[in-house]
Amino acid sequence: SPEIARFVRERYAAMTPQERVPIGAEMFDTARAIVFASFPPNLTERERRRMLCQRFYGNLFDAAFR
């Protein structure tokens, strides 16, 4: 709801950078774990990282690595 979105936005805005950075890092780690869990288990580490970047950054990743 708009009220919840406003509350969350205000809460993060009230935090110091020292409070926000660890929260952002933890959210990234959680997102990465969810994405890795969706990959086939037989991929190499390089393939997993490439697929992770493609999933997160889409066409930006492809354009940057051509």
Side-chain angles (χ1 to χ4, degrees), residues 1-3 9 12-13 20 24 26 32 37 43 50 56 61:
S1 72
E3 295 83 17
R9 189 172 45 255
Y12 283 125
R20 284 194 303 262
E26 187 175 326
R32 183 178 56 194
L43 298 174
R50 181 173 178 79
F56 278 7
F61 173 80

Side-chain angles (χ1 to χ4, degrees), residues 21-59:
V21 168
I23 290 171
E26 187 175 326
M27 289 190 298
F28 176 82
D29 290 343
T30 300
R32 183 178 56 194
I34 291 168
V35 170
F36 277 157
S38 72
F39 293 162
N42 60 338
L43 298 174
T44 66
E45 185 61 25
R46 183 180 176 126
E47 291 169 326
R48 288 167 43 91
R49 288 181 182 195
R50 181 173 178 79
M51 287 180 69
L52 177 72
C53 288
Q54 286 175 324
R55 184 79 56 90
F56 278 7
Y57 304 111
N59 292 336

